[in-house]
Amino acid sequence: MANLQGFFQEFNASKFVVFSSLLGFSLLLTLKLDGDLDWSWWSVFTPLWIWKGIAILGAIVGSYVWCRRPQTRVNSEEYIQYKAMLISLAVHLLLLMFELLVADNLESKRHLWILVFIPLVLVSIISVGICVWSVRHDRSFQLEIFCAVNSLQFVFLALKLDGILVWSWEVTFIPMWVVLCISLVGVLYTIIFAGILLRMPDVNSDQRRSSTNSALGYSFLVVPLLVFLVLLTNKLDKTVKISYFAATSPLFLTFFFIIITSFGTRGGNQYWFGLRKPPCQFLFGVCPCLQLFGNVSYSLYNNSSSASNNNNNNMDQQGNETDIQIYVGSGKKKKAEA
């Protein structure tokens, strides 16, 4: 049996918004590069504008709630969440500046790419300190660690686009190759570890399930990214003739998988929009009628198996009642003999 209310209470709204926006932007970008979309570059970046607009509006509302509720400042957990929201807002503002410069340069071509990438390189530098702070306070830092480990890759991309580097795209993506190879080693380790746990009889079933899910999850993340980088490199070096949409298809798969897993992954900052609780739990409190849908339980078994289980339970109950009657009867006989 599974409960939809518990399923939605573990919904990670931040991950859903981020990767949904990235998926939409990737689709529009590939269609634009293939010539199948006649939109302006400002319109192509619309999913990213929506993402940043939600982040900025959520931070403004969260700051307003923080100012109107001074008693919450005593709570150390809420203070850490509010501080993490402000740090994330600073990162989003720098990313917004980078995206504005990219869209303007693609539309007008009046800037050097090395100047366009300055906000992104700055994000990569400060992300190192943010990762350290997040580890100390047990906060998630997926976006920050991605920027931190790819800082050299951003510099190479800017120099390549300006024509300063005459390397092939295969050489230009060396930092990304290194990161993905290390990630692939981690995936192989999780797969081997999950296989070992499956063959150990004294291991709990929950531990086996969690290790297997981790191995499958990391595989669906790293392997499509590696295939995407191989296809994109061959496309840019013109060694194969494929469309940008086909080359980016593995990336679409990765984004779609992360969006699906956002419904079963608890996390994210709960101080966006001043909710101070998971978004679905907040909606259940505002609209109690939604709890009727959230409390629905479903079973993965068919009706015949459930009916057989009910019959077995009824037989067990009848057997227990018979034993009780026999015991009571024997007790009466003993009393009579006495």
Side-chain angles (χ1 to χ4, degrees):
M1 300 292 291
N3 194 345
L4 290 180
Q5 185 175 2
F7 180 72
F8 282 106
Q9 282 181 351
E10 295 182 354
F11 172 62
N12 193 332
S14 300
K15 182 183 291 187
F16 179 81
V17 171
V18 171
F19 288 98
S20 297
S21 301
L22 290 176
L23 178 59
F25 170 71
S26 301
L27 289 170
L28 295 177
L29 179 62
T30 53
L31 293 175
K32 176 70 174 179
L33 293 175
D34 287 332
D36 298 329
L37 192 64
D38 197 18
W39 293 4
S40 65
W41 285 105
W42 295 101
S43 300
V44 172
F45 279 75
T46 300
L48 299 184
W49 308 143
I50 296 174
W51 167 21
K52 300 306 184 299
I54 293 175
I56 294 173
L57 180 61
I60 292 174
V61 177
S63 299
Y64 175 77
V65 173
W66 172 265
C67 295
R68 290 295 302 270
R69 296 175 58 88
Q71 64 273 15
T72 59
R73 302 174 189 176
V74 183
N75 192 341
S76 60
E77 179 63 25
E78 291 196 6
Y79 174 73
I80 292 175
Q81 289 191 7
Y82 178 70
K83 189 175 181 180
M85 185 190 69
L86 294 181
I87 294 173
S88 180
L89 176 63
V91 173
H92 280 77
L93 290 176
L94 289 174
L95 290 177
L96 177 61
M97 186 184 301
F98 165 72
E99 293 161 4
L100 290 172
L101 290 174
V102 170
D104 182 66
N105 200 30
L106 290 173
E107 197 72 32
S108 61
K109 298 180 181 179
R110 58 184 176 182
H111 306 294
L112 292 175
W113 284 106
I114 192 64
L115 299 177
V116 173
F117 274 77
I118 286 178
L120 189 58
V121 175
L122 184 59
V123 169
S124 303
I125 296 173
I126 65 175
S127 293
V128 178
I130 296 175
C131 291
V132 175
W133 182 86
S134 300
V135 171
R136 292 179 57 187
H137 295 86
D138 195 19
R139 308 296 305 176
S140 61
F141 50 95
Q142 297 177 352
L143 178 62
E144 289 78 8
I145 196 167
F146 173 79
C147 296
V149 299
N150 289 293
S151 56
L152 185 60
Q153 182 65 77
F154 299 148
V155 176
F156 281 6
L157 283 176
L159 296 176
K160 176 66 176 179
L161 292 174
D162 283 333
I164 299 176
L165 291 181
V166 294
W167 302 341
S168 64
W169 284 101
E170 185 177 5
V171 179
T172 305
F173 284 125
I174 283 180
M176 186 67 73
W177 292 118
V178 174
V179 173
L180 287 179
C181 288
I182 295 175
S183 302
L184 188 60
V185 172
V187 169
L188 294 176
Y189 170 77
T190 56
I191 293 175
I192 295 173
F193 183 71
I196 293 174
L197 290 182
L198 290 176
R199 292 184 173 274
M200 295 178 64
D202 55 342
V203 177
N204 190 4
S205 60
D206 293 335
Q207 294 179 353
R208 295 179 182 176
R209 189 182 301 110
S210 62
S211 62
T212 304
N213 293 335
S214 298
L216 293 176
Y218 289 130
S219 299
F220 274 103
L221 286 177
V222 177
V223 175
L225 285 176
L226 185 60
V227 176
F228 159 70
L229 187 60
V230 172
L231 294 176
L232 181 63
T233 302
N234 292 327
K235 170 65 178 177
L236 294 175
D237 286 334
K238 299 180 180 180
T239 57
V240 294
K241 293 183 180 180
I242 57 174
S243 63
Y244 282 101
F245 187 87
T248 320
S249 298
L251 185 64
F252 299 155
L253 178 62
T254 299
F255 288 157
F256 181 75
F257 175 76
I258 297 176
I259 292 171
I260 295 300
T261 56
S262 65
F263 286 92
T265 306
R266 182 176 298 177
N269 196 327
Q270 300 178 4
Y271 223 91
W272 293 103
F273 292 96
L275 302 180
R276 297 179 294 113
K277 61 179 64 176
C280 290
Q281 185 177 352
F282 177 80
L283 290 178
F284 288 150
V286 174
C287 301
C289 59
L290 294 177
Q291 293 185 3
L292 297 176
F293 174 73
N295 289 328
V296 174
S297 299
Y298 63 93
S299 177
L300 298 178
Y301 303 97
N302 53 18
N303 294 328
S304 61
S305 63
S306 61
S308 63
N309 291 331
N310 292 330
N311 294 330
N312 293 330
N313 293 331
N314 293 330
M315 294 176 63
D316 293 338
Q317 291 178 358
Q318 292 177 0
N320 293 332
E321 292 176 356
T322 304
D323 294 339
I324 293 173
Q325 292 176 359
I326 293 173
Y327 177 75
V328 173
S330 63
K332 291 181 178 179
K333 289 181 179 179
K334 290 181 179 179
K335 291 181 179 180
E337 292 175 357

